[in-house]
Amino acid sequence: MRTGNEPSTARSPLRMRLWLSVWGTAWAAFGLTAFLIADRPGWAAACGVLLLITVTDFCLVVRRIRQGPRYQPGRDVPPYDPEDRGPGRRRRGR
């Protein structure tokens, strides 16, 4: 349920995701090299895919952090319509 104060009370998990992606990248890179040395191509491929996913997540998180807490999309993005107004509340202008 929306209360109207979400922007002032919202918490972002971006810093946690950043460190989790760094941790996942390190382990996936370690697994990739270990399985390549052990001549296990299937497991090395799985670790390579995981490495690609964690690096992509890292890049996205860094991009969002650099946008800043007050980032607003451009004029081409319409505002969202709240899902639920609650019992007995009606929309204005309709």
Side-chain angles (χ1 to χ4, degrees), residues 28-73:
F30 172 75
L32 178 64
T33 55
F35 285 123
L36 283 175
I37 292 171
D39 198 27
R40 301 281 189 185
W43 285 103
C47 286
V49 168
L50 185 60
L51 182 63
L52 181 66
I53 291 170
T54 57
V55 168
T56 303
D57 186 47
F58 177 80
C59 292
L60 290 174
V61 168
V62 167
R63 179 175 177 249
R64 295 271 170 95
I65 288 174
R66 286 185 179 175
Q67 285 177 341
R70 304 283 186 240
Y71 171 74
Q72 295 294 315

